[in-house]
Amino acid sequence: LQLLRQLDSPQAEDQQRGSSGGGDSGTAGCAAAADGSGDDGAEAAAELELPEIRAARGLFRWDDELLVSRAPGRLDVMGGIADYSGSLVLQMPIAEACHVALQRHPLDKQQVWKHIKARHDKLGGPRPALRVVSLHADDTNRAPTFDIDLDDLHEPDGSPISYSAMRAYCKKDPASSWGAYVAGCLLVLAQEK
């Protein structure tokens, strides 16, 4: 959360506005924040910035409610998820964990990535969308972002899409198929309400 707050700090925004030159949102601005010179060194620093950090910039509105949760990882030597049925298992928590920060955005305040805006413009205007950023994506050769319009989770009659339709949607791009773990939760909630 501190990392995300740093990305949205007033100094980072001022430097981004002052040195972006109308280029890709956040790239040159972060470079200026990295070394403050605005020269070729700044451009090199921008190239080194992780894409998920650029994507996370502006994701949250700090004056509104933000929910943050942590699920610890676990070492599973024996038993898997059989502990839910009372079986014996051999597991222990580990330091790795999944952190989730979640915030609802009113449609008129939703800031979206350029490709989502282009998609929405073709559809006639803004639409509710789920945007997910996964940090350290390069470590596992996956795309750093996943997005889906919330309308895509429903059939034209308003009923939730099938699990197989969601699976097919998420398999279109293998690099971002990890997003099924997040978007799939919303679909399960809609299906099982």
Side-chain angles (χ1 to χ4, degrees):
L1 193 56
Q2 287 177 329
L3 171 67
L4 293 175
R5 276 191 181 274
Q6 289 172 354
L7 292 175
D8 283 340
S9 72
Q11 295 102 344
E13 288 179 19
D14 290 344
Q15 289 172 336
Q16 179 179 340
R17 276 189 224 104
S19 64
S20 65
D24 188 25
S25 173
T27 307
C30 184
D35 78 353
S37 67
D39 60 7
D40 292 339
E43 291 175 23
E47 290 177 19
L48 295 176
E49 183 183 40
L50 295 173
E52 58 263 35
I53 301 300
R54 283 193 308 270
R57 189 175 288 113
L59 206 56
F60 299 109
R61 292 185 333 275
W62 300 109
D63 293 335
D64 294 339
E65 183 180 21
L66 178 65
L67 304 172
V68 180
S69 184
R70 177 185 181 273
R74 65 182 181 180
L75 176 62
D76 185 357
V77 178
M78 176 184 81
I81 60 170
D83 57 344
Y84 299 121
S85 62
S87 298
L88 297 175
V89 297
L90 179 56
Q91 300 175 343
M92 67 178 284
I94 57 176
E96 283 73 22
C98 177
H99 292 83
V100 175
L102 178 70
Q103 185 176 61
R104 291 182 66 177
H105 290 217
L107 193 56
D108 61 334
K109 293 183 179 180
Q110 179 175 258
Q111 295 179 6
V112 294
W113 299 316
K114 290 177 183 179
H115 71 279
I116 298 174
K117 183 172 179 351
R119 182 173 71 222
H120 290 178
D121 287 347
K122 287 181 185 176
L123 296 170
R127 307 164 70 97
L130 171 69
R131 295 173 298 147
V132 185
V133 175
S134 179
L135 300 180
H136 307 292
D138 274 353
D139 296 347
T140 55
N141 292 323
R142 65 179 188 265
T145 63
F146 174 84
D147 64 84
I148 185 171
D149 290 340
L150 295 183
D151 294 343
D152 291 340
L153 296 176
H154 295 88
E155 299 290 351
D157 68 0
S159 64
I161 62 173
S162 67
Y163 293 131
S164 59
M166 182 65 179
R167 192 174 304 114
Y169 181 95
C170 291
K171 284 188 173 182
K172 287 191 283 188
D173 180 6
S176 63
S177 63
W178 60 267
Y181 289 103
V182 180
C185 293
L186 294 177
L187 182 59
V188 169
L189 290 171
Q191 287 275 10
E192 307 301 324
K193 64 177 175 174

